[in-house]
Amino acid sequence: MPDAAAWRALVATGLLGGLAAIAGTEAAARAPVSTLAPIEYTGLVWALLFDVVLFATVPGWRAVAGGVTILAAALIATLAPTGARPGRGRTPPA
């Protein structure tokens, strides 16, 4: 049976997970999926950072290079212009 500290951790994990699910749903409702998709990949980088902080595991150079590549790709995909400009390609209202 879990002790009080374990129960607190379980409850906090459940609440934070629920809030993250709500935030993800709201983000999907308000932003284009093409903007949000690259951010999903940053979860791999977060996992790597938590591994370092919680378990004192030092990643190899390939893991660090992969994390940097993922972050760079997410930034490029998120900040790059889409090429579509408002008002172009539409017919004027009648």
Side-chain angles (χ1 to χ4, degrees), residues 23-90:
T25 303
E26 283 296 315
R30 299 174 190 267
V33 176
S34 61
T35 303
L36 298 174
I39 298 186
E40 286 290 322
Y41 288 104
T42 62
L44 298 169
V45 177
W46 284 108
L48 181 70
L49 290 175
F50 282 130
D51 196 29
V52 170
V53 171
L54 296 176
F55 303 112
T57 304
V58 179
W61 69 270
R62 288 182 182 170
V64 173
V68 170
T69 303
I70 289 169
L71 288 176
L75 283 172
I76 290 169
T78 303
L79 300 176
T82 61
R85 293 185 185 158
R88 289 199 163 202
R90 290 193 247 162

